[in-house]
Amino acid sequence: MDASFITREAMSNIAVLGKPTSPLDIAALAAVGVSSAAYLLRGIAWDKPDPYRHLFFERPQLKDGFQSERVQATRNIAEALEQQGKNCVIFWGSQSGTAEGIAYRLARECHIRYGLEVIAADLSDYDPETIALIPESKLAIFVLSTFGEGDPSDNTAGFWEWLHKNASKLSLPNLHYAAFGLGNSNYKYYNRVVDVVAEALEKGGAKRLLPVGRADDSTGGTEEDYLAWKDDLFTTFREKLGYEERDNPYTPTLTIREDPSLEPIDLHSGVPIEQHASNKKKVAKTSPIKPLEISSAEYLYSSTKRNCLHMEVELGSYAELRYKTGDHLVIYPMAPDEEIQILLRALGLEDKASTPLLISAIESGSAHTLPSPTSAEALFRYYLEISAPVSRDAVRDLAQFAPTPVAKDLLAALGRDKTAYSEFVGATHVTIGRLLAAAAPGAIWADLPLSYILETVPLLQPRYYSISSSSVVSPRRLAITVGVEDAPLAHNPQVAIPGLTTSYLAAVAGSLTPSPSQPAYALAGPDGALQGHRVFAAIRRSKFKLPAFASTPIVMVAAGTGIAPFRAFVQERARLRAVGKEVGRMVLFFGCRRAGEDFPYRGELDEARVAVGGDKFEVVPAYSREEGQPKRYVQDRIAERAKDVCELLDNDATLYICGRAAMAREVAKVLEEAMMGQHGWDAAQVTEWKNSVKRGNKWLEDVWG
């Protein structure tokens, strides 16, 4: 009840008694008045929370931790450039970390090769209107990713909104810029973000230095696309801007100092660091990271090369962790023991793997996003993506540190020749450690600074898994569905590269249930934090939600592990039906290879069909490898059922697609053709319909790759 109401009631009750007539009456009245005032002023005049109380619980070393957590002096990028003596800013908008990594690499190379003083800047760290204040003498470079249906990354949202709100009145006559986009041509709106940004900047009078670069990740071409654009950028530097290329040796941006006096408790030993504090939208979407227990794991199917895990995760006593049906579980993986040992051995750090290291940026704007103090082992296991392929750029640069002439010649040749590099990568599992070991077998790379490894190897990124359970049915225990499949090398199919996070989860599952052999991991985690089958994880909100009304019909399309959120949807509708709620019709189009081999949750879906009523739920399978039958994919089955699907969509059904982007693109084509045939629409009309249902959240996709 409202405190002011209580006070008024008390005063009213006192008034009924009349005026105080004795010292005891006066004392009682005073006591009531004082207590009422004290209650109302709690937290204002007394019992105020100490704003610095949290400092008692912080480790002293956190003041030297992530650079992104430090207080930012200004949100005006023009002021920042002036204050720091910089003449170029590289803005990055990144969802998975790739664009961020490219921005920092480019910043370092611009400085080393052309003497530019560069800030690599998170777009959310600066007010977008201050971009107009960047003087003509300075450069701006945009490295922007596109994901989903042409969406900007979370940290680009503020800049994106500003561009659209001010599209007709942008004035950027002094801005000289270049732009590079990261996208995937499997998506309809390939590289839409960089295209929209470039168009808006041009309309505002900005001057583009060279054509917009675009990377296509549909065939793994992002790195080569970036290198080609970077060569054009540097040609522009030399020929149009008059910058002189310098032949400088490697110049570190980090200092790394051993400090054996530090105790293990002082170190960042592997606990994940929370996301950028400045990135408010991203932080708001993701819960705190916690060590969550995997209480059970079960193989839904298993073949010689492909497995599928159903894992159940306990939210336990973490009251702040709550999920809703359709959300994602964010998993923070670790590198396998073998990769760590190979790299430590090549660098001659096996005896110093646990030595405390202090890491600091030589100057602001450098790529220091690593924790300090820490150790080489913790960096390699928890913070760097040492299991990722090495870029051709990095291979070329490594030649200068080679311990033997043969290694130097090999790396220089691979770095120069795109074809030779492609063939080498296609035949060899090329991680940073394996590359060093293969180029100079048995040798120690004594001249290779650890700072180069930290600057070059990308940060280890979390992975996202659709939650395959309903929060209505199981609010404190969630499930994920994990496909475990090694990727064979293009030119050496006998060698397969294990997926980093899927293999890690399979190893955790192996301690719970018999499983195929997987790489070895330090499953106990840093300081034993993951003992008891735990993983570092968080919950990320999603827009992939069931309709508000259970009576709304839904059409679901999935292939492989894309079935995960639909298991949750069906679970929830079955529970609602069990308590007497009316549920709308559900049709699930699901694609896999064979009915008896890789159809997860088939028994559960059959039970759900009975529970909700046979006329309410139907599964339409598509088998691409069924013996004696032609290949059929989900888009083929939708085409066969076009009239029924169109009628459902016309009757307010919500459409959901989950799986690979290529599948989603083919499904969209079939649906557009079906609606054109059903209604006699032309291309413009079907496009307007599609855009309309997407704006109304009646067409939702959760796709990848």
Side-chain angles (χ1 to χ4, degrees):
M1 188 177 293
D2 183 65
S4 60
F5 176 79
I6 296 173
T7 305
R8 288 195 302 270
E9 280 288 293
M11 296 302 291
S12 175
N13 291 339
I14 292 171
V16 170
L17 298 176
K19 294 182 179 180
T21 57
S22 70
L24 287 176
D25 290 339
I26 295 171
L29 180 59
V32 170
V34 169
S35 61
S36 299
Y39 184 88
L40 291 172
L41 293 175
R42 183 181 181 187
I44 301 173
W46 71 283
D47 196 27
K48 294 171 64 177
D50 181 2
Y52 301 105
R53 182 174 181 269
H54 67 280
L55 295 178
F56 286 102
F57 304 96
E58 288 187 359
R59 294 180 183 176
Q61 76 271 14
L62 285 181
K63 67 180 184 296
D64 295 319
F66 270 51
Q67 186 182 26
S68 59
E69 293 178 356
R70 297 174 186 169
V71 177
Q72 189 167 311
T74 178
R75 290 189 56 83
N76 184 321
I77 184 58
E79 283 184 5
L81 289 167
E82 193 64 34
Q83 291 170 0
Q84 299 178 34
K86 307 294 185 181
N87 49 19
C88 177
V89 56
I90 301 177
F91 290 112
W92 55 265
S94 187
Q95 193 69 17
S96 66
T98 305
E100 179 182 3
I102 284 177
Y104 279 114
R105 283 169 55 194
L106 182 60
R108 184 164 61 89
E109 197 164 354
C110 286
H111 175 69
I112 292 172
R113 292 178 63 175
Y114 295 94
L116 285 171
E117 300 297 334
V118 186
I119 296 176
D122 181 334
L123 267 168
S124 66
D125 282 345
Y126 295 94
D127 296 325
E129 60 269 19
T130 65
I131 292 174
L133 305 177
I134 297 175
E136 193 172 4
S137 59
K138 302 182 189 295
L139 302 178
I141 299 173
F142 296 84
V143 181
L144 306 172
S145 67
T146 298
F147 75 101
E149 287 294 294
D151 299 322
S153 62
D154 290 336
N155 76 307
T156 308
F159 174 65
W160 184 256
E161 184 179 351
W162 173 77
L163 274 183
H164 283 78
K165 281 185 177 179
N166 298 277
S168 61
K169 54 185 179 181
L170 278 182
S171 180
L172 306 163
N174 295 322
L175 185 67
H176 289 74
Y177 82 97
F180 181 72
L182 290 86
N184 186 312
S185 61
N186 281 330
Y187 294 86
K188 181 176 179 179
Y189 298 99
Y190 165 61
N191 262 312
R192 174 173 177 254
V193 171
V194 75
D195 288 341
V196 169
V197 168
E199 182 181 358
L201 297 179
E202 297 268 321
K203 286 182 178 178
K207 300 172 182 66
R208 192 173 65 204
L209 299 174
L210 72 160
V212 173
R214 297 176 183 84
D216 185 1
D217 196 44
S218 64
T219 57
T222 295
E223 181 64 26
E224 288 299 332
D225 292 335
Y226 162 66
L227 294 181
W229 174 80
K230 187 191 71 175
D231 287 344
D232 292 342
L233 176 68
F234 288 171
T235 299
T236 300
F237 282 179
R238 294 189 300 271
E239 297 180 359
K240 291 186 179 180
L241 302 181
Y243 294 160
E244 187 174 336
E245 187 169 4
R246 308 185 303 185
D247 189 21
N248 284 356
Y250 165 69
T251 303
T253 61
L254 302 174
T255 59
I256 301 173
R257 181 168 58 86
E258 294 181 4
D259 189 350
S261 67
L262 292 172
E263 297 295 329
I265 195 173
D266 298 321
L267 307 183
H268 290 274
S269 56
V271 175
I273 302 297
E274 300 285 353
Q275 296 164 349
H276 293 183
S278 62
N279 196 341
K280 295 180 180 63
K281 294 202 174 199
K282 191 169 184 179
V283 171
K285 288 182 178 179
T286 307
S287 76
I289 304 164
K290 300 294 181 182
L292 301 183
E293 179 191 355
I294 295 179
S295 57
S296 66
E298 174 190 359
Y299 278 90
L300 300 177
Y301 60 80
S302 179
S303 64
T304 54
K305 295 181 180 179
R306 302 169 66 247
N307 307 290
C308 186
L309 268 170
H310 173 84
M311 310 185 82
E312 300 202 345
V313 183
E314 302 287 345
L315 299 183
S317 60
Y318 299 113
E320 67 272 35
L321 297 189
R322 297 182 179 88
Y323 81 98
K324 295 293 184 183
T325 306
D327 283 347
H328 296 105
L329 185 69
V330 187
I331 298 288
Y332 291 78
M334 66 174 73
D337 295 345
E338 184 180 14
E339 290 296 334
I340 299 162
Q341 291 306 313
I342 291 172
L343 183 54
L344 289 171
R345 192 179 307 121
L347 297 174
L349 295 176
E350 288 180 288
D351 295 335
K352 293 187 173 183
S354 302
T355 301
L357 301 175
L358 292 170
I359 305 170
S360 58
I362 292 176
E363 56 180 308
S364 61
S366 62
H368 177 37
T369 49
L370 291 165
S372 177
T374 185
S375 67
E377 182 177 6
L379 288 167
F380 296 166
R381 189 180 300 281
Y382 299 107
Y383 298 116
L384 295 175
E385 191 102 39
I386 66 167
S387 296
V390 184
S391 70
R392 184 161 61 90
D393 235 7
V395 171
R396 182 201 63 206
D397 290 346
L398 280 168
Q400 64 187 298
F401 309 115
T404 67
V406 173
K408 183 173 184 177
D409 292 343
L410 171 64
L411 296 178
L414 292 174
R416 283 192 307 267
D417 190 331
K418 176 181 177 180
T419 302
Y421 170 78
S422 178
E423 291 177 353
F424 182 74
V425 171
T428 311
H429 185 189
V430 186
T431 62
I432 182 68
R434 291 173 188 270
L435 176 65
L436 300 180
I444 292 176
W445 290 65
D447 294 332
L448 176 56
L450 181 58
S451 59
Y452 179 85
I453 300 292
L454 305 192
E455 294 163 357
T456 305
V457 177
L459 296 176
L460 187 58
Q461 298 294 330
R463 271 61 168 181
Y464 298 84
Y465 291 89
S466 296
I467 294 174
S468 52
S469 57
S470 163
S471 57
V472 170
V473 176
S474 179
R476 302 304 298 165
R477 173 186 290 183
L478 59 84
I480 57 174
T481 309
V482 181
V484 184
E485 182 175 4
D486 296 347
L489 292 170
H491 304 309
N492 189 3
Q494 286 71 38
V495 177
I497 303 174
L500 177 68
T501 311
T502 55
S503 293
Y504 165 55
L505 290 174
V508 177
S511 59
L512 289 162
T513 186
S515 66
S517 60
Q518 296 293 337
Y521 294 84
L523 296 180
D527 303 324
L530 302 180
Q531 285 182 344
H533 318 296
R534 295 177 184 273
V535 296
F536 287 121
I539 293 168
R540 191 174 192 273
R541 291 208 310 267
S542 167
K543 295 179 181 178
F544 203 73
K545 301 295 186 187
L546 277 166
F549 297 103
S551 57
T552 303
I554 59 176
V555 177
M556 302 167 281
V557 185
T561 55
I563 199 172
F566 301 141
R567 175 185 185 257
F569 286 8
V570 172
Q571 267 191 355
E572 186 152 317
R573 287 259 170 121
R575 173 58 61 86
L576 293 174
R577 177 75 169 178
V579 297
K581 294 278 188 180
E582 179 188 353
V583 298
R585 187 177 168 201
M586 299 179 285
V587 180
L588 169 62
F589 292 89
F590 176 67
C592 61
R593 294 187 179 184
R594 300 177 183 88
E597 178 183 303
D598 55 358
F599 195 143
Y601 305 120
R602 186 172 186 177
E604 283 189 19
L605 295 175
D606 288 341
E607 292 174 5
R609 183 174 179 274
V610 174
V612 300
D615 61 329
K616 291 291 186 179
F617 178 37
E618 179 183 8
V619 178
V620 183
Y623 303 124
S624 61
R625 304 284 195 281
E626 195 70 70
E627 190 173 346
Q629 296 184 16
K631 290 185 177 182
R632 299 166 91 189
Y633 299 97
V634 285
Q635 59 266 28
D636 300 322
R637 298 308 311 270
I638 291 172
E640 293 171 9
R641 300 283 298 272
K643 186 175 185 297
D644 188 24
V645 172
C646 290
E647 288 177 355
L648 280 166
L649 296 178
D650 286 339
N651 287 302
D652 200 38
T654 301
L655 171 70
Y656 300 90
I657 305 174
C658 186
R660 293 196 173 276
M663 178 273 289
R665 182 182 59 189
E666 294 303 317
V667 167
K669 285 181 184 177
V670 169
L671 285 170
E672 289 172 12
E673 291 170 1
M675 293 299 283
M676 290 172 73
Q678 181 85 351
H679 299 289
W681 289 342
D682 58 24
Q685 288 172 309
V686 79
T687 298
E688 173 55 32
W689 166 79
K690 182 179 177 182
N691 292 338
S692 173
V693 293
K694 286 192 172 185
R695 284 193 301 268
N697 291 324
K698 303 297 289 183
W699 179 321
L700 297 170
E701 296 184 3
D702 186 356
V703 299
W704 59 87

